[in-house]
Amino acid sequence: MIKAAFFDIDGTLVSLKQKVYPPSAKDALARLRASGVKCFVATGRSKFEIVSEHLLDGLEFDGLLTNNGQDAYAADGTLLYGKPLDPNEAAALLDWAERNNCAAWFVSAERSVMNFHNERVMDAMVAIHTRPPELGDLRAMLGKPIYKIVLFLTREEMPAVMPCAPTSRTAQWYVCGHDIISADGGKRSAMLEILRRYGIRPSECIAFGDSENDVDMLRAAGIGVAMGNATPDCLAAADYVTADCDDDGILKALEHFELI
């Protein structure tokens, strides 16, 4: 019996083409929660970003797993889980970014700041239909826990930087967009912690995603669902492939498994 559901945002709940969630997703989520299934967001975005971009206005959830699972919150905003980066590694990553003229995006619980914008940054922001983060002093950010660092590098370029962060790992969300998160963090770890808090077994949950940063979560869930628009590695990790986000994929999957 499914008791919990986890949903990625970009490309899963929210269309990368239409830049909004389809009406069918709103209807499906409302019906799912009405049946007693707890519903959670599981996204690479930060909590304040979701609010400022109005990404999920009109939808109701029981909690949010944000920054690729580095922090998680109850519906009332209470912090349930946090896995900040090692502060020494965050400082080393900033040193590397400055030496190599690399665009870097630091995210704490309260704000996100970038060192500069370039073509890669703007391309990535267009792809996820969001405004570029504010520019500011990244060194000033180091005084508080950093939950995520984004480097705008390709997969081939990332190995050069990772010796700076030996207890961290990466999660790719765009061709030149990589999140650096703690090695024991991520969507899977946050999902399992939330399930533990509610006394729900992993086999009793369903998870939806479309990208590399969803792979571990889909594998850990009792049912892992990839959207039809998912990346090849996400498709391979799923138990079931539904239709595209733009083709009512969430609704169709929940109906397929007779959850609504």
Side-chain angles (χ1 to χ4, degrees):
M1 178 179 178
I2 295 298
K3 298 180 180 179
F6 295 79
F7 300 89
D8 173 52
I9 293 181
D10 296 295
T12 301
L13 276 173
V14 174
S15 166
L16 293 176
K17 297 176 182 178
Q18 305 300 323
K19 304 182 180 180
V20 295
Y21 58 79
S24 64
K26 180 177 182 178
D27 174 65
L29 285 169
R31 291 163 61 191
L32 188 63
R33 291 188 77 232
S35 74
V37 175
K38 294 188 178 298
C39 295
F40 301 90
V41 172
T43 179
R45 291 181 182 264
S46 59
K47 180 165 67 73
F48 51 83
E49 184 183 2
I50 293 170
V51 174
S52 66
E53 296 292 333
H54 305 285
L55 292 170
L56 302 179
D57 287 4
L59 301 180
E60 293 186 11
F61 292 92
D62 296 283
L64 305 172
L65 279 62
T66 54
N67 291 318
N68 271 323
Q70 291 300 96
D71 49 345
Y73 303 85
D76 64 2
T78 302
L79 180 68
L80 299 177
Y81 174 89
K83 281 283 183 180
L85 291 165
D86 180 284
N88 293 323
E89 294 187 12
L93 289 165
L94 177 54
D95 289 342
W96 188 95
E98 291 177 342
R99 289 196 308 270
N100 292 276
N101 195 35
C102 175
W105 179 8
F106 279 42
V107 182
S108 70
E110 297 84 19
R111 63 190 298 231
S112 65
V113 175
M114 282 200 65
N115 51 358
F116 60 82
H117 298 157
N118 60 15
E119 184 176 354
R120 287 186 175 186
V121 172
M122 303 312 291
D123 286 347
M125 294 300 105
V126 169
I128 62 172
H129 50 85
T130 194
R131 291 171 292 181
E134 66 174 298
L135 300 179
D137 181 5
L138 294 186
R139 296 236 163 246
M141 293 282 287
L142 295 176
K144 292 187 176 181
I146 301 297
Y147 285 109
K148 179 180 69 176
I149 293 175
V150 183
L151 296 182
F152 292 83
L153 299 172
T154 65
R155 186 189 298 268
E156 293 73 25
E157 293 167 336
M158 283 302 295
V161 67
M162 291 314 294
C164 298
T167 69
S168 302
R169 64 185 180 90
T170 66
Q172 186 174 16
W173 53 271
Y174 187 61
V175 63
C176 57
H178 283 79
D179 289 352
I180 298 179
I181 60 177
S182 55
D184 57 349
K187 291 186 180 184
R188 175 186 179 275
S189 296
M191 181 183 78
L192 294 177
E193 173 61 19
I194 296 302
L195 292 174
R196 184 192 67 78
R197 283 176 173 266
Y198 284 99
I200 299 172
R201 295 189 296 270
S203 60
E204 297 173 319
C205 82
I206 185 171
F208 291 75
D210 74 305
S211 193
E212 179 185 288
N213 61 359
D214 299 310
V215 167
D216 287 349
M217 177 177 71
L218 298 193
R219 288 175 174 161
I223 302 173
V225 179
M227 308 303 290
N229 49 276
T231 59
D233 50 353
C234 187
L235 292 170
D239 300 300
Y240 179 75
V241 178
T242 187
D244 287 8
C245 172
D246 297 288
D247 190 26
D248 303 329
I250 288 176
L251 174 65
K252 290 176 178 177
L254 293 176
E255 289 180 337
H256 170 80
F257 288 106
E258 299 182 349
L259 296 176
I260 57 175

